[in-house]
Amino acid sequence: MTEAIVPDSEHKGLVARLPQRLRDFALLARFDRPIGWWLLFWPCAWGVWLTGSGLQWQLILWLLLGAIAMRGAGCVYNDVVDADLDRQVARTASRPVASGRVSAKAAWVWLFVLCGVGLVVLFQLRLEAQIVALASLGLVAAYPFMKRITWWPQAWLGLVFTWGAPVGWVAMRSDRLDVLAALYAGSIFWCIGYDTIYALQDREDDALVGIRSSALRLGANVQAGVIAFYALALSLWGLAFWLLREDWVALVALLPVALHLMWQAFTLDPTDPDNPLARFRSNRFAGLLVAAACLVVGNA
């Protein structure tokens, strides 16, 4: 089994410089793939900035640290649960637990260390936001099993991976839950869209080992499905903006991200191995565009 960094990794030079043992733990937490914690972080920023509370840079930085730590913890947990499945999928077979380079016991210790960092971040939030954040733990724990029982694990991931929007919102205010609901719902459909794109990389292996995904379920209609998911996301974000500020000008703030998401969807080519990964990764920029829109609309 190769010890090379998995094919969809980033910042290879930084991780590759670590000693092998430390590198394995870094790979286990996906520190080589920062796209994951960007996708977890951006909804946190959306929730904070749409409240109209200003930049709140200290809180934003705490939430970024929490996103890095908890995304890492989630990856460790997922890899421990999915070790047997990961060994059967080409893209994931070299992961530290699946390959045997890191034992399950060591992985659990690393998981608790990362959760400790997350706990420090949790204590920076007001009580209401702490309760909201802790409410996600059941969803997180159940996620690795969803691919075994439903064709739509991406929908469950949407619930989990965009939970930062409610946390960020409640960290600043507890009213206007209609705005929050629309923002969160839109975030879920955004996640379903980009994770369907991501799942295109594993369709053949997933079908062989019995892993279910929206990419497999949609089949030849996967591009139309992604277009629909992104359209729903944009519509719900537009509703959130409208509920907060009944001004058509506010909706213009979503135009850049609308153009970007439609570029992703309409140029998606499931037959090109590099195409889905590039479009998936570009959601880091999509998240930034939504963040800018939330900052402008919330604080104008």
Side-chain angles (χ1 to χ4, degrees):
M1 183 68 65
T2 179
E3 294 188 69
I5 297 172
V6 292
D8 53 353
S9 63
E10 294 183 336
H11 299 288
K12 294 181 179 181
L14 179 62
V15 174
R17 292 191 188 100
L18 295 174
Q20 183 63 57
R21 186 63 172 168
L22 292 179
R23 187 192 316 164
D24 286 335
F25 283 100
L27 291 173
L28 187 56
R30 309 291 197 277
F31 289 160
D32 62 315
R33 286 189 280 166
I35 179 61
W37 47 260
W38 279 117
L39 295 176
L40 188 63
F41 163 72
W42 281 127
C44 302
W46 304 346
V48 172
W49 285 340
L50 194 59
T51 62
S53 303
L55 291 174
Q56 296 291 329
W57 282 117
Q58 184 174 358
L59 174 60
I60 290 294
L61 290 174
W62 277 116
L63 291 172
L64 177 59
L65 176 61
I68 295 171
M70 296 315 296
R71 187 265 184 153
C75 290
V76 175
Y77 174 68
N78 189 79
D79 281 12
V80 171
V81 172
D82 280 350
D84 290 339
L85 290 176
D86 284 345
R87 293 186 188 102
Q88 303 175 65
V89 176
R91 189 178 57 82
T92 60
S94 63
R95 286 179 175 173
V97 175
S99 65
R101 298 196 310 274
V102 174
S103 68
K105 181 178 179 180
W108 279 111
V109 172
W110 182 218
L111 171 64
F112 286 123
V113 170
L114 291 167
C115 287
V117 176
L119 189 62
V120 172
V121 174
L122 185 71
F123 288 144
Q124 311 309 310
L125 307 177
R126 67 179 186 135
L127 179 60
E128 294 88 341
Q130 292 178 17
I131 294 171
V132 171
L134 290 172
S136 69
L137 293 180
L139 296 172
V140 173
Y143 169 68
F145 304 99
M146 292 300 109
K147 68 189 71 172
R148 297 167 170 84
I149 63 177
T150 175
W151 286 104
W152 297 97
Q154 281 69 30
W156 197 272
L157 183 69
L159 295 172
V160 173
F161 232 66
T162 63
W163 195 262
V167 173
W169 182 276
V170 177
M172 302 311 303
R173 60 191 291 183
S174 299
D175 63 337
R176 297 309 310 270
L177 298 184
D178 55 337
V179 177
L180 171 58
L183 176 68
Y184 179 50
S187 305
I188 292 171
F189 281 109
W190 174 60
C191 182
I192 296 173
Y194 71 63
D195 203 54
T196 297
I197 293 174
Y198 186 75
L200 286 170
Q201 300 172 93
D202 299 327
R203 281 198 297 183
E204 291 77 10
D205 286 336
D206 286 350
L208 288 173
V209 302
I211 296 176
R212 301 178 181 184
S213 74
S214 55
L216 281 172
R217 185 63 173 173
L218 290 168
N221 298 314
V222 67
Q223 186 176 40
V226 171
I227 292 171
F229 297 140
Y230 281 166
L232 285 168
L234 290 165
S235 298
L236 287 161
W237 290 334
L239 176 61
F241 285 10
W242 184 258
L243 290 171
L244 183 68
R245 188 184 302 277
E246 292 188 13
D247 184 349
W248 288 104
V249 176
L251 300 183
V252 176
L254 285 173
L255 182 59
V257 71
L259 292 173
H260 177 78
L261 292 180
M262 290 302 108
W263 165 80
Q264 281 188 42
F266 282 100
T267 63
L268 181 63
D269 182 3
T271 66
D272 179 358
D274 295 327
N275 179 282
L277 182 58
R279 275 135 192 82
F280 166 75
R281 284 178 172 171
S282 73
N283 279 284
R284 172 171 46 194
F285 181 60
L288 173 62
L289 292 175
V290 180
C294 288
L295 184 62
V296 170
V297 173
N299 297 276

